[in-house]
Amino acid sequence: TELNVWHNVDNYFTDKLLPDNSCLTAALLANKAAGIPEIDVSPTQGRFLYLLTKLKGAVNVLEIGTLGGYSSICLAQALSKEGKVVTLEINEDYASVARKNIRHAGLEEKIEIIVGPALDTLPDLKKRGHFFDVIFIDADKPNNPEYLKWAVKLANSGAVIIADNVVRNGAITDINSMDERVSGVQQFIDLLKEEPRIEATAIQTVGVKGYDGFVLAIVN
Ligand code: SAM
């Protein structure tokens, strides 16, 4: 029943507050048709990413974990004319669906998808001299600690880092967890505390994607 309430309230805010966004609706349909797992951010979370990116006045955004491009589109829609999203995806099939969704949204000039394991492609971004204002970490959770180290290296001063799925239905507090996604997030949280340039918090969320949460951090 709790789940029902969360769903209903999330849908209520989606209906009331979010504008019709045909590109996002089309992306979800295309993802479903392609058999892509429905693990994209929810509409209200996507809107949160959009607002945060706008609030920050971000020009360069990095996303780790593209899936079908739902959140990439949310991030790109928040950018000014010269803004760009670089998004990293390991799965070529997902990337090709994302490419279509992004083209359909008219955002192909704003979003660059780089296919490959992110730990292999992140060093290239550094070599290319890329720095980012917003970094959204949303890929394989066991690698979250490594992604955080890269995020710090690739961050402009004052950059915002957001990392999704840090609560995992409460599993985050289980220090004996055998789930390497949980231990990945736990190590990530410990690293946030140790990294002198970072100030962070975590916010629990409920809604259509269940009970979870995200980390919000800035890199000084
Ligand atoms: N950000 C997406 C959204 O909200 O629309 C959802 C991303 S989904 C939760 C995680 C994605 O990370 C999957 O598409 C998966 O294929 C990708 N992924 C997993 N391991 C990866 C790796 N080592 N490098 C890059 N991407 C990876």
Side-chain angles (χ1 to χ4, degrees), residues 56 132-135 151 154-161 197 217-220:
K56 175 73 192 152
F132 299 93
D133 310 304
V134 169
I135 301 172
L154 293 168
N156 278 322
S157 167
V160 175
I161 295 175
R197 283 178 67 196
I218 64 172
V219 187
N220 288 308

Side-chain angles (χ1 to χ4, degrees), residues 39-41 63 65 67 70-71 89-90 94 117-118 138-140 147:
I39 51 172
D40 15 47
V41 293
E63 174 178 67
L67 195 72
Y70 184 91
S71 53
E89 175 55 53
I90 195 170
Y94 295 173
D138 191 24
D140 49 326
Y147 295 152

Side-chain angles (χ1 to χ4, degrees), residues 7-20 42-45 70 208:
H7 275 231
N8 293 344
V9 173
D10 214 358
N11 289 331
Y12 171 85
F13 287 132
T14 302
D15 291 345
K16 291 281 182 188
L17 296 176
L18 274 55
D20 281 335
S42 70
T44 48
Q45 289 166 340
Y70 184 91
V208 294

Side-chain angles (χ1 to χ4, degrees), residues 93-111:
D93 295 338
Y94 295 173
S96 89
V97 175
R99 235 173 260 125
K100 280 186 209 145
N101 289 333
I102 288 163
R103 199 177 320 126
H104 180 260
L107 292 167
E108 63 269 52
E109 304 289 309
K110 287 190 121 34
I111 304 176

